[in-house]
């Protein structure tokens, strides 16, 4: 995905403007004729892909101390990638053609097989996380809400593998996964209807429901029991602001104010959630009760997890 982050130069352009851009990334025709075309952008992106794959800077700016040298390199050098797949090498070579009409247009560039190969390979590897979620025991709405809250505050932008799974499943890019979207994607990859139903039940609590980005990421982040224990302990410790080792009704009320939690639990009353978790009826929720209420598994004391 290419994101335009800065339009800072736009205000400086007028009819008397000279060519502008970043030396080392500007195409030859800009240096020679001040001519910017969409295929000039293709050249610039080609330089960026070259840099990302090679781990170096622009091949036209390496060792150059002046713009004149960079211009000369851009007009004369024909850099070739020595690393990467044959697909990316062919793509970059076509994008860095000196004559702009020989470069692929934007639509051809985006349709290149390198993007398809890279995307399919990563999705095949990352789909293992979905399998882990599908195989786990179905949890309740409170559990899904808590994990969604954890995900909303984690730096999940760095979890590229999980983000790619969501992006591939979210075909209409609305930030939610419907049962239809999940089914359409996974059936083509050999998943049975029964397994897809189980996955949706675990993700959304309903085989025909939908799941938000944060709820989805929370479930995948906690796909293993060890990781889930860590996430739940972190959440419990954060809400337990008094460090007394238990949660009170006031803590539950505060938790329900968090957008990710409210989105899942909606109209659930704090007192009802307290009763649901407080198995010994003492008006307080220990971590063992907190964990058992959401996992339905064996109790695990806070001190044991902190060791």
């Amino acid at each position: 995905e290419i994101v335009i982050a800065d339009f800072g130069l736009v205000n400086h352009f007028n009819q008397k403007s000279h060519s502008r851009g970043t030396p080392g990334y500007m195409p030859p025709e800009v240096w020679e004729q001040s001519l910017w075309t969409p295929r000039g952008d293709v050249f610039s992106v080609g330089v960026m892909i070259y840099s990302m794959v090679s781990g170096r800077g622009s091949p036209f700016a390496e060792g150059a101390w002046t713009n004149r040298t960079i211009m000369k390199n851009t007009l004369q050098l024909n850099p070739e990638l020595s690393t990467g797949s044959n697909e990316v090498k062919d793509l970059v070579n076509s994008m860095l053609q000196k004559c702009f009409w020989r470069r692929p247009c934007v639509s051809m560039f985006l349709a290149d097989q390198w993007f398809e190969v890279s995307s399919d390979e990563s999705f095949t590897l990352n789909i293992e996380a979905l399998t882990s979620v599908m195989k786990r025991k179905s949890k309740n709405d409170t559990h899904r809400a808590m994990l969604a809250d954890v995900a909303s505050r984690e730096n999940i932008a760095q979890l590229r593998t999980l983000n790619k799974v969501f992006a591939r499943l979210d075909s209409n890019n609305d930030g939610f996964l419907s049962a239809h979207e999940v089914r359409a994607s996974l059936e083509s990859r050999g998943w049975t209807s029964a397994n897809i139903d189980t996955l949706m039940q675990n993700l959304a609590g309903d085989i025909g429901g939908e799941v938000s980005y944060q709820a989805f990421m929370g479930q995948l982040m906690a796909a293993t029991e060890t990781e889930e224990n860590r996430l739940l302990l972190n959440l419990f410790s954060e809400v337990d602001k008094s460090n007394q080792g238990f949660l009170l009704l006031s803590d539950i009320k505060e938790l329900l104010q968090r957008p990710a939690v409210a989105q899942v639990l909606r109209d659930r009353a704090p007192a009802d959630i307290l009763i649901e978790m407080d198995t010994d009826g003492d008006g307080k929720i220990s971590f063992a009760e907190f964990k058992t209420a959401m996992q339905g598994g064996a109790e695990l004391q806070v001190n044991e997890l902190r060791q």
Side-chain angles (χ1 to χ4, degrees), residues 18-288:
H18 298 289
S19 59
R20 292 180 182 270
T22 302
Y25 294 84
M26 293 174 5
E29 61 271 17
V30 173
W31 287 108
E32 290 186 310
Q33 307 168 43
S34 297
L35 175 65
W36 266 114
T37 71
R39 297 194 189 203
D41 293 328
V42 169
F43 181 93
S44 299
V45 175
V47 177
M48 288 191 286
I49 295 177
Y50 180 101
S51 298
M52 289 187 289
V53 174
S54 67
R56 297 152 54 189
S58 165
F60 307 112
E62 283 188 315
W65 294 96
T66 65
N67 285 344
R68 182 180 295 275
T69 303
I70 295 175
M71 178 182 69
K72 180 180 178 181
N73 290 344
T74 304
L75 297 177
Q76 297 180 358
L77 294 183
N78 292 293
E80 293 188 1
L81 274 173
S82 58
T83 58
S85 65
N86 290 331
E87 288 81 10
V88 72
K89 290 178 182 177
D90 291 341
L91 175 62
V92 170
N93 287 340
S94 68
M95 296 172 74
L96 297 184
Q97 289 289 319
K98 301 300 182 189
C99 299
F100 69 87
W101 61 85
R102 292 181 179 174
R103 297 176 206 139
C105 62
V106 174
S107 60
M108 291 174 60
F109 152 62
L110 292 176
D112 188 88
Q113 62 176 331
W114 178 64
F115 290 98
E116 293 299 321
V117 170
S118 300
S119 182
D120 286 343
E121 287 179 350
S122 63
F123 187 71
T124 299
L125 293 174
N126 300 333
I127 206 169
E128 295 177 1
L130 290 179
T131 304
S132 297
V133 174
M134 184 269 294
K135 290 181 177 179
R136 303 193 72 204
K137 181 179 178 180
S138 179
K139 306 299 172 63
N140 56 33
D141 286 343
T142 306
H143 177 270
R144 283 186 284 273
M146 300 305 174
L147 290 182
D149 180 65
V150 170
S152 71
R153 291 174 292 104
E154 290 271 338
N155 189 6
I156 53 181
Q158 293 182 355
L159 304 178
R160 296 181 180 179
T161 57
L162 302 187
N163 277 297
K164 287 180 180 178
V165 175
F166 186 91
R168 287 297 298 272
L169 294 174
D170 184 21
S171 58
N172 64 359
N173 298 312
D174 67 347
F176 290 84
L177 295 183
S178 67
H180 173 74
E181 287 176 315
V182 174
R183 189 173 300 279
S185 181
L186 296 184
E187 280 183 343
S188 65
R189 298 176 183 276
W191 280 51
T192 65
S193 293
N195 283 345
I196 295 173
D197 287 347
T198 301
L199 175 65
M200 286 305 300
Q201 182 68 41
N202 289 351
L203 287 174
D206 180 359
I207 63 173
E210 67 175 16
V211 58
S212 69
Y213 171 72
Q214 291 171 340
F216 177 86
M217 295 297 283
Q219 289 289 332
L220 265 67
M221 288 167 63
T224 66
E225 183 175 353
T226 300
E227 183 63 14
E228 184 179 43
N229 287 338
R230 183 189 70 81
L231 294 175
L232 292 180
L233 175 60
N234 288 346
L235 177 60
F236 182 89
S237 299
E238 179 185 317
V239 178
D240 178 23
K241 296 178 180 178
S242 61
N243 294 318
Q244 294 181 340
F246 54 80
L247 304 181
L248 300 174
L249 181 60
S250 58
D251 298 316
I252 300 299
K253 289 180 178 179
E254 186 275 332
L255 196 58
L256 289 177
Q257 296 300 312
R258 299 182 179 185
V261 176
Q263 185 179 55
V264 177
L265 295 182
R266 295 183 174 87
D267 299 326
R268 292 286 302 279
D272 292 339
I273 294 177
L274 178 67
I275 293 172
E276 177 185 302
M277 293 186 177
D278 182 21
T279 56
D280 62 9
D282 65 353
K284 300 180 293 187
I285 302 171
S286 66
F287 178 72

